[in-house]
Amino acid sequence: MSILDKNKVEHYNGISTLNNHSILKRGVRTMKYKVEVLTGIRPTNDLTIANYLGAVMPIIELQAQGISPVVFVADLHALTDNEPATIRQYIYGVVADYIALGVDPQKANIYLQSDIIGEVTTLTTLLSRHISVAELLRVPTLKDKLKANTRPETANTLLFLYPILMAADILLNRARKVPVGEDQLAHIEVTRLLARRFNKKYGEVFPIPDVLQVKPLRILSLKGEGKMSKTNPNGAIFLTDNLKTVARKIKSAETAFEMIVNEKLKSHILIAGKLAKTESEREEVDAIIQEHKTGKPVMGRFKQLFIRIVQNFLAEFQGKRAEIMRDPSYIPSVLEKGAKIARENAIETLQEVKRVLWLT
Ligand code: ATP
Ligand code: MG
């Protein structure tokens, strides 16, 4: 139809688009938040305790308060710097990790990002025209990657589009809160910026998402080389590490000289405090750190306690994970159910986006 065909111009909220002074602007159905909390993890390796603390633990706490989270396996994001065959091999593992960490498939929705690839890539394209090349080049995560292991000449464009792809995930779900580690904060800012720009131009299509934590975590590599990452195994504690490996990794971790509490030690204290199962273990951590501050050489004792806390946590987790992996049809069935719900939700959002862009 012609966009100027008066007879076919629709009415929303009782307002005709033609009376709205802009003949080209279509009336908007203001969209509401659909998902309270959304998080995603790239299937690039087994998960680390940093992934748990930064992205999964906050949603387990919300789930306990009756909120139903949505979690997804970000296989399209993984494609930026991994081979498809590698990604394939980690997908079910990430789902098993989520569930063993406490995401309850009865309450939460768990889906695979590529199961809604059409919706995700369509919205990525439609959002792309609302951000400039210069703005994307300023995103700190891209700048870091370009410095660390790739150059603009060799970096693929999917890496460049990463923040827009992430915005598409969040906005398709119409998520209110996104728990992320500190490393992803800039991406959430891009999401908010894109949503605001889009809304300003076409009407309030997207509810604006926010980060969940007031102060997102940054868990450091045990080796002190930047943040802990699952693709940098040297300084990472994986949830699937065997208990001896964990002890070895912690023993060789860098700490701090007496009286000094540097960023590395702060990160160890944070991990120990968050993974401790009991209040008395947390008090033990505090007591040792107090002694350290007064100049006593207690880092050996601290490491012993740190190892015990992490091993206890991992032993319980690994027992649950093994249980989940016993039934091979369980995970595909969880993902199938997840895809259905995610698709319905995404289609609903995308329909409105396309409508205001006169694409339907
Ligand atoms: P990769 O090396 O593949 O990028 P990663 O460990 O950075 O792996 P992602 O899949 O990129 O993990 O991120 C999953 C979630 O874990 C994100 O919400 C991210 O913010 C969080 N996260 C990752 N690393 C840390 C960290 N060191 N501290 C806190 N949160 C983190
Ligand atoms: Mg990452």
Side-chain angles (χ1 to χ4, degrees):
M1 90 179 194
S2 152
I3 56 172
L4 298 180
D5 183 343
K6 281 185 196 178
N7 297 326
K8 293 201 176 161
V9 169
E10 295 149 71
H11 291 250
Y12 290 98
N13 303 331
I15 304 166
S16 149
T17 49
L18 287 178
N19 292 337
N20 213 12
H21 300 297
S22 166
I23 215 159
L24 294 177
K25 192 164 173 175
R26 268 182 154 182
V28 166
R29 290 189 204 94
T30 300
M31 301 213 87
K32 297 205 168 65
Y33 291 108
K34 182 85 177 188
V35 163
E36 273 308 301
V37 56
L38 171 81
T39 187
I41 292 186
R42 307 191 321 146
T44 51
N45 206 335
D46 291 327
L47 300 198
T48 68
I49 49 172
N51 300 137
Y52 169 55
L53 297 176
V56 185
M57 194 184 200
I59 61 164
I60 309 288
E61 285 166 1
L62 286 180
Q63 191 184 255
Q65 294 164 27
I67 289 172
S68 305
V70 174
V71 297
F72 68 101
V73 184
D75 57 338
L76 298 175
H77 287 280
L79 270 179
T80 51
D81 48 8
N82 290 271
E83 290 304 320
T86 315
I87 298 168
R88 270 288 112 194
Q89 108 196 26
Y90 289 114
I91 290 173
Y92 286 3
V94 172
V95 178
D97 287 343
Y98 273 137
I99 298 172
L101 287 171
V103 174
D104 177 353
Q106 302 300 324
K107 297 180 183 151
N109 184 30
I110 307 177
Y111 75 92
L112 179 63
Q113 189 187 22
S114 61
D115 278 342
I116 55 166
I117 188 170
E119 288 75 19
V120 174
T121 52
T122 304
L123 188 57
T124 301
T125 308
L126 297 176
L127 290 173
S128 296
R129 72 182 294 261
H130 297 284
I131 187 160
S132 70
V133 171
E135 282 171 318
L136 277 182
L137 283 171
R138 280 201 295 273
V139 174
T141 39
L142 179 66
K143 275 168 65 180
D144 289 348
K145 289 230 171 185
L146 290 181
K147 253 191 261 158
N149 41 22
T150 173
R151 289 172 297 117
E153 291 78 11
T154 51
N156 67 63
T157 311
L158 191 55
L159 180 70
F160 183 64
L161 290 180
Y162 197 109
I164 311 179
L165 193 61
M166 187 157 154
D169 297 319
I170 297 169
L171 298 177
L172 274 179
N173 277 286
R174 283 175 279 135
R176 190 190 297 272
K177 297 274 184 190
V178 191
V180 285
E182 202 210 25
D183 58 309
Q184 298 289 329
L185 272 187
H187 293 162
I188 307 291
E189 272 318 308
V190 172
T191 304
R192 288 162 59 83
L193 176 121
L194 282 169
R196 284 210 201 90
R197 284 185 183 166
F198 192 96
N199 287 354
K200 193 160 176 232
K201 195 147 186 201
Y202 302 106
E204 297 292 314
V205 175
F206 297 119
I208 308 293
D210 209 345
V211 283
L212 179 64
Q213 296 102 317
V214 180
K215 196 175 177 320
L217 296 183
R218 178 178 162 85
I219 305 291
L220 296 184
S221 152
L222 292 179
K223 298 282 181 195
E225 47 198 8
K227 81 166 192 82
M228 187 181 288
S229 283
K230 55 180 137 62
T231 43
N232 188 3
N234 257 339
I237 299 176
F238 290 96
L239 297 173
T240 46
D241 271 345
N242 83 42
L243 304 188
K244 277 195 188 134
T245 308
V246 169
R248 182 175 46 73
K249 284 183 176 174
I250 295 180
K251 270 186 201 147
S252 66
E254 291 183 25
T255 50
F257 291 118
E258 284 84 57
M259 298 180 87
I260 301 199
V261 181
N262 58 16
E263 292 304 310
K264 272 171 253 164
L265 182 56
K266 271 192 208 156
S267 174
H268 302 332
I269 298 169
L270 192 67
I271 299 171
K274 293 244 176 206
L275 295 187
K277 292 254 181 270
T278 61
E279 200 45 47
S280 87
E281 272 178 338
R282 264 184 287 274
E283 283 166 8
E284 263 184 86
V285 174
D286 285 349
I288 293 183
I289 297 305
Q290 285 315 321
E291 288 184 54
H292 171 77
K293 285 181 182 163
T294 63
K296 290 197 186 140
V298 292
M299 284 296 104
R301 259 171 60 215
F302 173 71
K303 281 190 177 177
Q304 287 308 322
L305 176 60
F306 190 12
I307 290 171
R308 193 174 83 217
I309 289 174
V310 177
Q311 284 183 332
N312 285 343
F313 173 80
L314 292 187
E316 191 182 324
F317 164 83
Q318 288 172 7
K320 287 186 195 154
R321 192 181 195 272
E323 188 73 23
I324 292 161
M325 289 308 231
R326 223 161 270 156
D327 174 4
S329 65
Y330 179 58
I331 292 174
S333 74
V334 167
L335 288 177
E336 207 175 304
K337 184 185 120 206
K340 198 166 162 280
I341 301 170
R343 195 174 302 116
E344 273 170 22
N345 197 8
I347 288 174
E348 193 182 32
T349 310
L350 203 52
Q351 260 168 2
E352 187 58 12
V353 171
K354 285 183 175 172
R355 209 183 55 76
V356 299
L357 296 176
W358 296 91
L359 296 173
T360 53

